[in-house]
Structure formats: structure tokens, C-alpha cells
């Protein structure tokens, strides 16, 4: 099956999308959510922004369909070298969450 994304360029695209959305505002919280989507065996990445005393905003930055877990780790590693935002993991098994938390401290 053809992949609609390329592992080498995907991390660069994600960093570029974060750069467009990131405005370093005072008293604003930023984080990236990584969500496992089981029907497609893929992952979605969202950039979250929450100003103080306001609702959070979630911006989709990547959709990785038919992505393997080790490929996701490579992509996140490259993104973390550029941006050190907090990562939030949703719909992952407990063992994978522990592994990612250890790896991306």
C-alpha cells in the first residue's frame, strides 16, 4: 500500500506547521497531542494553544495513516529536536505511553 506521507519530509512539514501556529505569547500554554487512531492504524498530531483564563484551541498539524509505531518515534524525535513542547498521548496502550514518556523527557 502506498503511503501518503514520507518519513524524512514529514517531520520538516510538522515543524513548519508548528512554526506558523506558534506565537510566543506571555502566559500561554502550548503542547502537542499525539493521538492513535485504530481503524487506520495511524496517528494524528494536534498543536494545542491555551491562553491564561481562556479555552484551549487545537489545531491539526499532521495525519499519519498506516504508520508504524517505530516510524512515529522517529518523526517525534526529529520534531523534539526543534521544539521541546510537552507531548500528550491519547488512545495508546500503557506500555507505549511509558516508553514514550521515558524517551521524550
Amino acid at each position: 500500500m502506498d503511503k501518503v506521507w514520507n518519513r524524512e519530509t514529514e517531520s520538516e512539514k510538522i515543524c513548519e506547521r508548528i512554526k506558523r501556529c506558534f506565537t510566543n505569547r506571555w502566559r500561554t500554554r502550548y503542547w502537542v497531542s499525539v493521538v492513535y487512531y485504530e481503524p487506520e492504524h495511524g496517528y494524528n498530531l494536534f498543536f494545542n494553544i491555551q491562553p491564561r483564563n481562556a479555552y484551549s484551541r487545537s489545531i491539526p498539524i499532521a495525519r499519519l495513516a498506516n504508520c508504524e509505531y517505530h516510524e512515529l518515534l522517529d518523526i517525534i524525535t526529529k520534531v523534539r529536536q526543534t521544539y521541546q513542547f510537552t507531548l500528550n498521548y491519547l488512545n495508546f496502550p500503557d506500555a507505549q505511553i511509558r516508553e514514550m514518556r521515558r524517551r521524550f523527557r
Side-chain angles (χ1 to χ4, degrees), residues 41-82:
H41 299 289
Y43 304 93
N44 294 325
L45 277 76
F46 298 93
F47 184 65
N48 298 286
I49 304 167
Q50 184 179 21
R52 186 173 184 192
N53 298 327
Y55 291 108
S56 64
R57 181 173 171 213
S58 181
I59 303 166
I61 55 173
R63 180 173 173 246
L64 308 171
N66 298 318
C67 179
E68 297 295 326
Y69 178 68
H70 63 87
E71 294 173 332
L72 174 72
L73 294 179
D74 293 340
I75 291 170
I76 292 176
T77 301
K78 291 179 184 177
V79 171
R80 287 283 289 185
Q81 290 172 354
T82 307

Side-chain angles (χ1 to χ4, degrees), residues 86-99:
T86 302
L87 295 171
N88 185 18
Y89 311 106
L90 301 168
N91 299 337
F92 283 91
D94 291 337
Q96 287 182 351
I97 290 175
R98 281 192 298 272
E99 179 186 351

Side-chain angles (χ1 to χ4, degrees), residues 2-59:
D2 292 333
K3 293 188 177 182
V4 295
W5 54 273
N6 184 348
R7 181 174 34 170
E8 288 77 26
T9 61
E10 192 63 30
S11 60
E12 295 170 8
K13 289 179 185 177
I14 291 170
C15 288
E16 184 61 35
R17 290 179 188 135
I18 289 174
K19 183 179 177 182
R20 278 187 270 150
C21 298
F22 178 61
T23 56
N24 194 6
R25 292 192 179 149
W26 185 60
R27 292 189 175 180
T28 301
R29 181 176 170 229
Y30 300 95
W31 72 97
V32 175
S33 294
V34 183
V35 182
Y36 174 62
Y37 185 64
E38 190 171 352
E40 290 184 2
H41 299 289
Y43 304 93
N44 294 325
L45 277 76
F46 298 93
F47 184 65
N48 298 286
I49 304 167
Q50 184 179 21
R52 186 173 184 192
N53 298 327
Y55 291 108
S56 64
R57 181 173 171 213
S58 181
I59 303 166

